[in-house]
Amino acid sequence: MLENIEIMKRVKSVKDTDVTNKRVLIRVDFNVPMDSEFNISDDVRIREALPTINFCIDSNAKSIILVSHLGRPKGRDEKYSLKHILKRVERLLNREVLFIDDFQAQKDLINSQSDSKIIILENTRFYEGETKNDESLGRELATLCDVYINDAFGTSHRKHASTYGIAQYADVKVAGLLLKKEIDSFAKALTKPTRPLLLIVGGAKVSSKLTLLESILDVVDKIIIGGAMSNTFLKALGHNMQQSLVENDLLYEALKVLEKAKHKGVNIYLPVDVVSTDDISNPTLEHVKITPVQDIPTNYMTADIGPASLRLFKEVVSASDTIVWNGPMGIYEIDKFSRGTFRLAHYISDTYSYSLVGGGDTADAVDKSGEKDNMSFISTGGGASLELLEGKVLPAFEILEKK
Ligand code: ADP
Ligand code: 3PG
Ligand code: MG
C-alpha cells in the first residue's frame, strides 16, 4: 500500500471550511498547451478548475483570486502572460474576470473587489521568488486572502511560493475539489484496488520511472513495460538494441527491478517484438522494420512495440481489474509508430476495469486514440502523478490542513 496516498487523502477540502464573504485565493494550474499564435490546444486544466471556482461563487465568497504559472519563463516575458488565457476563462465561467498585471502594486484594487469577483494574477513565475519558494513572496501572496485553496494538482509536486510558501502564512489552507478528486482516484486505484492490479509503464523518463517501479512493486500484481522504457530493460537482458534510446547508466538498476519483482511474485511483461527505423524523420516503408527484439537491424532504433507484443499485452490487460497507465508504448506523435499506444488504449477501454491514466503525453495519446471518454480517470498531472506513484507525499498536500 502506498502510505503517501493515505496521508494526502486526509487534507481538508474547501467544503470543510466557510468561504462566505471571504477573500479566497485559489492556486490553479492553468499551464495549458498553446500554439505559436496563443490558441489553447487543450483547456482541460481550466475546465477541471471550474468546480472549485463555482463552489466559491455559489458560497458567496467576497472575491476569488486565481493564481497560476504558465510555462517556464525566465523573468517577465509577454509570451508567457496569462493574458492569453483570460478570454477562455471568462467564456468558461460566463463572467468578466479582472486581470491584475502587478499584484504588488495593485493590492488596493484587489482588496476592493466584492460580489465573488473573479481576479487573475499575472503568471506567478514572472516573480523570481516563485520557484525558489521565497519567504517574502509567499507571505505577500498570503496577505491577499482569508482562505487559501490549492487546486493545482499538476503543480502539487513543486515546492514553490504559490503552492507551498503561501500556505505557511495563510490562516486557512485547504484543498480544492480537483485536488481531492485526483487523490481519491489514485487511492481507488492503489490503496484498495480490485485485483489483479496492472501497471503499464512506457515513455521516455526512464530514471524517474525506475524509482517508481521499485517503490510500487509492493502494490501491483503485474507490470507491462513498453516504449523507450523497455529498451533499457531489454538491453539489460542482453539484447542488442542498436541505435535505440537506452539509459546505459541504469542497466544494473533495471536488472535489480526484475530481480526484486521475481522475488515478490510480480510478473513483468516486456515487448517480444518491436517496430524500428533507421530514419525517424522519413519513416517510409523501406526504413521501417518489424522484428523480434533479438533481430533489430544494425543502425535501427525502436519506435513502437510490435504486433506480437500487442497480442500478448492484450491478454494481460483483459485479465486485469485495475489498470494504471503512465507512458506511451512508442513514438505515438508519428502516425506509423502510434499503433502500439493507440491499440493498447482500445484494449483498456474494452475492459470493465478501473483505468487511471497519468502523464502528459499518455493523456494526450489517449485523447488522440479517441478513447478519452472510455478511461475511468485521466489525471491532470504529469510530473505530479509520477511522484505520487513513486510514493512521495507531494509538497502542496503536505502543507495543507489535515482532518
Ligand atoms: P508521459 O508524459 O506520459 O509521462 P514520457 O514523457 O515519459 O510520458 O514519454 C513520452 C515520450 O516518449 C513521447 O514523446 C514518445 O515519443 C517517447 N517514446 C516512446 N517510446 C519511444 C521509443 N521507443 N524511442 C524514443 N522515444 C520514445
Ligand atoms: C506541468 O505541466 O507538469 C505542471 O504545470 C508543472 O509545470 P513545471 O514542470 O514547469 O513545474
Ligand atoms: Mg512527457
Side-chain angles (χ1 to χ4, degrees):
M1 191 190 62
L2 286 172
E3 277 166 30
N4 63 328
I5 294 181
E6 288 295 322
I7 296 168
M8 289 190 277
K9 260 193 81 146
R10 291 206 288 270
V11 291
K12 274 195 189 167
S13 103
V14 60
K15 290 194 171 166
D16 302 317
T17 191
D18 181 15
V19 298
T20 309
N21 283 324
K22 304 271 171 63
R23 298 169 307 154
V24 304
L25 185 151
I26 313 177
R27 177 43 159 112
V28 287
D29 188 340
F30 286 172
N31 185 26
V32 290
M34 279 187 293
D35 65 19
S36 54
E37 272 140 26
F38 304 111
N39 298 303
I40 298 171
S41 47
D42 179 7
D43 66 2
V44 69
R45 281 181 165 179
I46 302 176
R47 289 175 188 274
E48 289 290 344
L50 298 179
T52 301
I53 301 170
N54 284 325
F55 178 83
C56 294
I57 297 173
D58 294 346
S59 309
N60 298 313
K62 181 172 180 284
S63 56
I64 300 160
I65 307 165
L66 306 178
V67 175
S68 179
H69 73 286
L70 178 66
R72 292 175 177 174
K74 299 207 175 6
R76 208 165 255 272
D77 178 350
E78 282 304 300
K79 211 173 111 197
Y80 296 99
S81 173
L82 279 172
K83 272 184 196 134
H84 303 307
I85 59 134
L86 186 62
K87 277 221 173 70
R88 182 65 58 95
V89 177
E90 287 186 322
R91 181 151 69 75
L92 290 172
L93 282 168
N94 202 17
R95 278 181 171 235
E96 201 180 300
V97 173
L98 173 65
F99 188 81
I100 296 288
D101 193 46
D102 179 357
F103 84 89
Q104 288 162 324
Q106 294 169 284
K107 279 186 189 149
D108 290 344
L109 178 61
I110 297 172
N111 281 325
S112 67
Q113 302 302 312
S114 58
D115 298 322
S116 304
K117 181 73 187 180
I118 315 280
I119 304 159
I120 294 190
L121 306 193
E122 182 53 290
N123 192 343
T124 177
R125 289 194 184 165
F126 283 4
Y127 299 89
E128 210 197 314
E130 166 65 359
T131 53
K132 294 180 183 149
N133 187 27
D134 175 67
E135 195 186 312
S136 61
L137 182 61
R139 200 192 294 266
E140 213 173 350
L141 283 168
T143 61
L144 298 178
C145 66
D146 307 307
V147 176
Y148 168 72
I149 302 171
N150 193 319
D151 213 19
F153 180 76
T155 325
S156 58
H157 57 316
R158 303 286 183 221
K159 196 171 182 172
H160 293 171
S162 68
T163 59
Y164 190 91
I166 179 175
Q168 289 173 293
Y169 305 104
D171 290 339
V172 180
K173 42 199 171 189
V174 292
L177 303 176
L178 175 61
L179 219 66
K180 274 285 179 190
K181 185 166 96 172
E182 290 270 2
I183 197 66
D184 287 347
S185 304
F186 277 95
K188 183 165 178 187
L190 297 164
T191 52
K192 282 191 195 109
T194 321
R195 291 185 184 274
L197 165 54
L198 166 69
L199 172 70
I200 305 173
V201 211
K205 288 179 234 141
V206 181
S207 58
S208 53
K209 292 186 187 183
L210 261 179
T211 329
L212 177 170
L213 286 184
E214 285 228 61
S215 52
I216 216 160
L217 281 175
D218 289 324
V219 181
V220 301
D221 301 305
K222 2 181 201 181
I223 303 175
I224 285 177
I225 306 177
M229 203 45 209
S230 57
N231 294 338
T232 300
F233 283 85
L234 292 168
K235 176 146 185 195
L237 288 172
H239 298 292
N240 185 344
M241 301 310 288
Q242 302 291 350
Q243 291 305 308
S244 303
L245 199 71
V246 171
E247 295 271 357
N248 285 307
D249 299 348
L250 297 171
L251 296 176
Y252 175 70
E253 292 298 317
L255 277 184
K256 245 177 43 189
V257 168
L258 294 177
E259 214 25 63
K260 214 167 146 188
K262 202 185 217 173
H263 183 70
K264 290 189 185 288
V266 175
N267 285 349
I268 293 199
Y269 307 87
L270 287 161
V272 291
D273 61 344
V274 287
V275 181
S276 62
T277 179
D278 66 346
D279 191 352
I280 192 78
S281 53
N282 180 32
T284 51
L285 270 187
E286 77 243 52
H287 292 291
V288 176
K289 297 268 186 297
I290 300 176
T291 63
V293 293
Q294 288 81 351
D295 301 322
I296 302 169
T298 311
N299 289 328
Y300 274 57
M301 65 173 278
T302 67
D304 198 5
I305 56 172
S309 309
L310 266 174
R311 287 198 56 178
L312 298 176
F313 290 177
K314 184 183 182 187
E315 296 304 319
V316 182
V317 164
S318 61
S320 303
D321 270 326
T322 304
I323 300 170
V324 177
W325 182 14
N326 183 299
M329 294 293 103
I331 307 175
Y332 74 95
E333 300 93 331
I334 300 174
D335 277 352
K336 269 220 175 66
F337 309 125
S338 64
R339 186 176 294 183
T341 305
F342 290 0
R343 285 254 165 101
L344 194 70
H346 301 324
Y347 299 157
I348 296 172
S349 78
D350 282 345
T351 67
Y352 289 104
S353 62
Y354 180 77
S355 49
L356 187 153
V357 175
D361 289 301
T362 320
D364 180 48
V366 167
D367 188 9
K368 293 202 165 92
S369 75
E371 300 290 3
K372 189 164 99 175
D373 295 335
N374 295 323
M375 300 292 152
S376 310
F377 185 72
I378 299 184
S379 175
T380 56
S385 65
L386 264 188
E387 293 198 17
L388 189 150
L389 292 172
E390 279 171 36
K392 292 184 188 154
V393 176
L394 306 179
F397 284 84
E398 180 208 315
I399 197 77
L400 297 179
E401 290 166 50
K402 308 287 183 314
K403 280 188 207 163

